[in-house]
């Protein structure tokens, strides 16, 4: 019944152009998100999708790993990095749109202790190196790991605690090491500490590292060249600047 097939095909074309049938995957958004921002991004995406009906897929990894993947042609539309340097490098590499650079959050670094047998404050535990294993994210790939290493260097402890370091691939894995008890201390984003305490995770102590001890953690979003013709990508970046999005980001522990 070729006449029926032709009618069905014409109906599909009509539906596509009237908006009832997606004409291509261009109406979806592929979002690359730094590990520390994963939970916040999921909530942002939920609100964005509820309001617009657009589908968003989220991939999480360290910012440095995303840089390598995007440089090799990974099909992402937008990057939410944990620093500003990486998005700027992508712009210089002609892989991202300079005009789209947007500082969406300012992160803070915390030292977390899981030593329930110590009466010392978290700051004292750090200064006295009262831990067996100290988890940090790989400073070559993760901005929070870089800030952690800068903090240890500031305190003159980088060499002294070298054997106690547990190097995680990204900050999400570092948090898993600490919160599971596989490491009895670690440097984590304030946002992940806020999330952990809200889910009744028991932390023996947490201390906010002075920001002047490390490079400020400015988290920047950028529209990638692959997403420059995707209206959903541009719509999401506009939503990211909204009052609603900024309130949500702030509620998760970001400045």
């Amino acid at each position: 019944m070729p006449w029926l097939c032709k009618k069905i095909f014409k109906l599909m074309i009509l539906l596509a152009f009237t908006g009832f049938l997606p004409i291509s995957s261009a109406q979806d958004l592929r979002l690359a998100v730094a590990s520390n921002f994963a939970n916040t991004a999921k909530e942002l995406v939920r609100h964005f999708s509820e309001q617009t009906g657009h589908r968003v897929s989220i991939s999480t990894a360290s910012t440095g790993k995303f840089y390598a993947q995007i440089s090799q042609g990974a099909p992402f539309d937008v990057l939410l990095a944990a620093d500003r340097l990486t998005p700027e490098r992508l712009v210089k590499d002609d892989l991202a749109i300079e005009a789209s650079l947007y500082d969406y959050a300012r992160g803070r670094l915390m030292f977390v202790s899981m030593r329930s047998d110590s009466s010392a404050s978290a700051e004292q535990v750090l200064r006295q190196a009262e831990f067996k294993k100290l988890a940090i994210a790989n400073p070559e790939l993760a901005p929070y790991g870089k800030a952690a290493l800068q903090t240890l260097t500031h305190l003159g402890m980088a060499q002294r605690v070298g054997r106690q370091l547990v190097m995680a691939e990204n900050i999400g894995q570092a948090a898993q090491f600490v919160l599971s008890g596989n490491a009895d201390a670690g440097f984590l984003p304030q946002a992940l500490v806020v999330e952990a305490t809200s889910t009744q995770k028991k932390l023996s102590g947490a201390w906010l590292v002075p920001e002047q001890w490390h490079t400020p953690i400015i988290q920047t979003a950028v529209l990638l060249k692959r997403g420059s013709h995707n209206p959903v990508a541009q719509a999401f970046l506009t939503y990211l600047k909204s009052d609603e999005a900024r309130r949500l980001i702030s509620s998760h522990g970001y400045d």
Side-chain angles (χ1 to χ4, degrees):
M1 303 174 64
W3 61 271
L4 181 59
C5 293
K6 287 182 179 179
K7 282 193 173 184
I8 293 173
F9 178 73
K10 287 180 180 179
L11 180 60
M12 290 179 67
I13 294 296
L14 178 62
L15 288 172
F17 281 98
T18 53
F20 292 99
L21 186 67
I23 202 165
S24 75
S25 61
Q27 296 306 305
D28 299 337
L29 170 63
R30 294 154 297 186
L31 193 60
V33 181
S35 296
N36 71 284
F37 201 70
N39 290 333
T40 311
K42 288 176 184 176
E43 196 165 343
L44 286 168
V45 162
R46 180 172 61 82
H47 284 273
F48 174 74
S49 296
E50 287 175 353
Q51 294 173 24
T52 65
H54 295 306
R55 294 177 297 181
V56 181
S57 62
I58 300 176
S59 298
T60 59
S62 65
T63 296
K65 189 170 183 178
F66 274 133
Y67 174 79
Q69 291 177 352
I70 293 166
S71 298
Q72 294 167 10
F76 297 116
D77 298 308
V78 172
L79 170 65
L80 301 185
D83 65 0
R84 188 174 176 86
L85 178 63
T86 300
E88 288 178 339
R89 286 178 67 190
L90 289 168
V91 169
K92 290 180 181 178
D93 294 344
D94 198 31
L95 293 171
I97 310 300
E98 184 173 13
S100 70
L101 290 168
Y102 171 62
D103 300 337
Y104 66 90
R106 187 184 187 99
R108 293 297 304 274
L109 183 70
M110 297 195 79
F111 172 78
V112 174
S113 171
M114 302 296 283
R115 290 284 306 273
S116 58
D117 60 340
S118 175
S119 60
S121 67
E123 180 184 0
Q124 290 173 325
V125 170
L126 171 60
R127 289 181 179 274
Q128 297 168 14
E130 292 184 4
F131 42 77
K132 295 179 180 178
K133 294 181 180 180
L134 176 65
I136 70 170
N138 187 338
E140 297 296 324
L141 299 174
Y144 282 89
K146 180 180 179 181
L149 185 58
Q150 289 174 338
T151 296
L152 291 172
T153 300
H154 174 85
L155 292 171
M157 298 176 62
Q159 297 295 326
R160 181 156 59 100
V161 301
R163 293 184 178 180
Q164 294 160 279
L165 288 182
V166 178
M167 198 74 70
E169 182 179 339
N170 55 58
I171 198 64
Q173 189 180 62
Q176 290 175 5
F177 289 160
V178 175
L179 299 177
S180 67
N182 288 324
D184 55 347
F187 284 101
L188 304 180
Q190 177 178 263
L192 293 188
V193 176
V194 169
E195 291 172 6
T197 53
S198 68
T199 55
Q200 299 181 338
K201 294 283 186 181
K202 292 184 179 180
L203 306 177
S204 297
W207 178 60
L208 191 63
V209 175
E211 198 171 24
Q212 61 269 26
W213 289 10
H214 58 78
T215 302
I217 306 171
I218 307 299
Q219 302 197 190
T220 302
V222 69
L223 177 66
L224 301 171
K225 278 289 182 73
R226 281 178 171 266
S228 59
H229 298 295
N230 186 344
V232 183
Q234 298 177 21
F236 179 79
L237 286 172
T238 298
Y239 171 74
L240 194 62
K241 299 175 184 179
S242 69
D243 290 340
E244 177 184 88
R246 286 188 288 186
R247 283 194 298 270
L248 194 152
I249 292 170
S250 178
S251 72
H252 278 255
Y254 295 95
D255 293 338

